[in-house]
Amino acid sequence: MANPNELNLVGHLGEMRTRIIRTLAAFLVSMAAAFIYVRDIYDWLVRGIDHKLVVLGPSDVLWVYLVISAVVAITVTLPVAAYQTWRFVQPALPPIANRTVYAFIPAISALFVAGISFGYFILFPMVLSFMEEMAGDEFLAMYTAQKYFSFMIHMTVPFGLLFEMPAIVMFLTKIGILNPNRLAKARKVAYFALAIVAISITPPDIVSDILVIVPLFLLYEVSIAISKFVYRNQLRAQSDWQAEASS
């Protein structure tokens, strides 16, 4: 006779495989669609450069186009991945956690775009200008396409992930892993970690550090406020449910 636990494990693995395949399919379709318009996206990204970027090999152009398409695809696929993740863990969660989950899934992409926009429009030009000032007249600045876009990705994509903090906190609070009290107690450690991240990716001057540290600290405080709101609603819903059950 088959072991029920083994059958249950096989079922969960099959479910996980299905969710992963759907997410990968969404990513590949999005990447293919982005690749069709990748030249237009490229032209927009390099609009501020007064000279063409240098390529050192025939594969550099393909690498740049694939990286651009991949970042666009990640942005499009994030809500799909969040939805598939939620569907996988949904059976194990209480009904209270299922009521408002779909409200913040669209915010996943919005926050990622906001983080990338912050990195691209604020941090990236600031750091690039600082590097050019350091080069001065002693060096001739010639950017290769691969180096330029690698630098751009490092200045933008991490902030897209960091800006997901409120949505992740909301999700973890909803399923009972986090609560505002834990977040408040971890504030000093979180501030220290965020400050280290900000200082390590910005030029060595106090203005640049502040321009990055302040938004990250605000994101953490917004995350605490969201966690408080979700946590209070959960306690209120549980109290109402218990009152109905006892009556």
Side-chain angles (χ1 to χ4, degrees):
M1 185 174 180
N3 189 335
N5 291 330
E6 292 180 359
L7 294 177
N8 193 32
L9 177 61
V10 172
H12 283 309
L13 291 176
E15 177 76 7
M16 181 186 296
R17 178 176 174 271
T18 300
R19 302 297 175 188
I20 292 174
I21 290 175
R22 290 177 180 176
T23 302
L24 288 176
F27 174 80
L28 292 175
V29 171
S30 302
M31 188 170 179
F35 195 81
I36 296 175
Y37 302 98
V38 72
R39 288 192 175 184
D40 296 329
I41 302 173
Y42 173 88
D43 291 338
W44 186 82
L45 290 174
V46 299
R47 67 195 184 283
I49 304 177
D50 55 2
H51 58 274
K52 290 185 177 181
L53 297 177
V54 179
V55 292
L56 300 180
S59 62
D60 286 3
V61 176
L62 180 61
W63 182 91
V64 170
Y65 285 171
L66 287 176
V67 166
I68 294 174
S69 302
V71 173
V72 174
I74 290 172
T75 305
V76 175
T77 308
L78 275 175
V80 178
Y83 175 77
Q84 295 299 328
T85 302
W86 175 257
R87 292 290 294 174
F88 178 72
V89 302
Q90 186 180 18
L93 300 177
I96 295 176
N98 294 319
R99 292 178 183 176
T100 60
V101 64
Y102 300 120
F104 69 84
I105 287 181
I108 297 285
S109 281
L111 289 170
F112 188 76
V113 171
I116 286 184
S117 299
F118 173 79
Y120 178 75
F121 290 107
I122 297 177
L123 183 61
F124 175 67
M126 177 179 64
V127 177
L128 188 63
S129 176
F130 176 81
M131 296 298 180
E132 290 176 345
E133 289 179 2
M134 283 192 64
D137 297 330
E138 289 79 15
F139 298 92
L140 175 62
M142 294 183 63
Y143 304 132
T144 66
Q146 185 171 359
K147 292 290 186 180
Y148 184 83
F149 277 94
S150 294
F151 184 68
M152 181 186 293
I153 294 300
H154 292 155
M155 291 290 104
T156 54
V157 173
F159 279 92
L161 299 176
L162 286 171
F163 271 54
E164 298 287 358
M165 192 189 310
I168 294 174
V169 167
M170 183 178 181
F171 179 80
L172 295 179
T173 302
K174 201 72 179 174
I175 64 178
I177 295 178
L178 284 181
N179 61 59
N181 296 327
R182 291 180 183 177
L183 292 172
K185 289 180 180 179
R187 181 181 276 111
K188 292 182 179 180
V189 176
Y191 275 15
F192 179 75
L194 292 174
I196 293 297
V197 171
I199 293 172
S200 63
I201 62 177
T202 54
D205 65 89
I206 188 64
V207 176
S208 301
D209 294 339
I210 292 174
L211 285 174
V212 177
I213 289 174
V214 171
L216 294 182
F217 284 4
L218 288 176
L219 273 176
Y220 192 81
E221 293 302 324
V222 169
S223 300
I224 293 178
I226 291 175
S227 181
K228 286 181 180 179
F229 176 77
V230 173
Y231 191 65
R232 288 172 182 171
N233 285 345
Q234 284 184 312
L235 292 179
R236 189 180 302 112
Q238 289 177 352
S239 178
D240 294 341
W241 181 80
Q242 290 175 355
E244 292 177 0
S246 61
S247 59

